[in-house]
Amino acid sequence: MLNALYPVLGSNKLRESRDFYRALFDLRVSFENDWYISLATETEPHQQIAFVAHDHESVPTESRQLAAGFLVTLEVEDVDALWKRAQTLTLEPVLSIRDEAWGQRHFIVRDPNGVLVDVVQPIPPSAEFADAYAMTPPGTKSD
């Protein structure tokens, strides 16, 4: 049985990463030392993101690189509130807040590592999208 699932990003900006995710998402530090920082939500401690010094000995030599080339998605209850917070923090949007036909209101910013962070809130999909695609709600099995 899986107890938790979370990304650990190779970084050379551990403190900046910690501060970014704490400021934007109110994450708390669940563990911190000089080469590893783990953050979690206050109410769901298994919702985590972590950062490891990319050149630390615990990372296999061939994988000692900075995080790049992917998108971290964080689903939130109120994306508009987070959008306002991102603006207050003067974060440069990669994608300004908008509604998508597939049923998502979101915006994208970069974290201190350059990783894209997609902040999303589910909304009803457009009628055209809903009619064109069969969607299975999370937590249900599809055959």
Side-chain angles (χ1 to χ4, degrees), residues 8-22 29 31-39 49-56 59 66-67 111-113:
V8 178
L9 286 68
S11 176
N12 62 357
K13 297 180 179 179
L14 296 175
R15 305 310 175 263
E16 296 93 332
S17 300
R18 174 198 63 203
D19 295 347
F20 171 88
Y21 286 89
R22 287 183 72 195
V29 175
F31 179 84
E32 181 173 3
N33 65 20
D34 61 340
W35 57 271
Y36 187 91
I37 296 175
S38 180
L39 303 166
I49 189 166
F51 303 90
V52 65
H54 71 95
D55 56 355
H56 189 264
V59 178
L66 298 173
D111 81 358
N113 305 289

Side-chain angles (χ1 to χ4, degrees), residues 2 7 18 21 44 49 59 72 84 87 90 100 113 135:
L2 187 65
R18 174 198 63 203
Y21 286 89
E44 298 291 336
I49 189 166
V59 178
V72 173
K84 287 177 187 170
Q87 291 175 313
T90 64
E100 303 290 3
N113 305 289
M135 299 190 317

Side-chain angles (χ1 to χ4, degrees), residues 2 7 18 22 27 42 46 53 57 59 64 73-74 87 94 109 130:
L2 187 65
R18 174 198 63 203
R22 287 183 72 195
L27 297 180
E42 195 64 45
H46 297 298
E57 65 188 44
V59 178
R64 292 182 184 172
T73 299
L74 290 101
Q87 291 175 313
V94 175
V109 293

Side-chain angles (χ1 to χ4, degrees), residues 29-131:
V29 175
S30 54
F31 179 84
E32 181 173 3
N33 65 20
D34 61 340
W35 57 271
Y36 187 91
I37 296 175
S38 180
L39 303 166
T41 65
E42 195 64 45
T43 57
E44 298 291 336
H46 297 298
Q47 294 178 354
Q48 303 174 39
I49 189 166
F51 303 90
V52 65
H54 71 95
D55 56 355
H56 189 264
E57 65 188 44
S58 66
V59 178
T61 305
E62 66 275 4
S63 298
R64 292 182 184 172
Q65 53 195 334
L66 298 173
F70 63 93
L71 179 71
V72 173
T73 299
L74 290 101
E75 185 177 309
V76 300
E77 290 182 19
D78 187 351
V79 72
D80 291 293
L82 272 282
W83 173 246
K84 287 177 187 170
R85 185 180 295 177
Q87 291 175 313
T88 301
L89 296 169
T90 64
L91 299 179
E92 183 79 27
V94 175
L95 178 76
S96 294
I97 195 162
R98 67 185 195 191
D99 294 346
E100 303 290 3
W102 56 81
Q104 198 176 71
R105 181 164 175 76
H106 71 132
F107 67 91
I108 299 175
V109 293
R110 286 188 198 279
D111 81 358
N113 305 289
V115 170
L116 295 177
V117 178
D118 191 9
V119 184
V120 306
Q121 179 179 349
I123 60 173
S126 69
E128 296 82 11
F129 191 89
D131 289 344

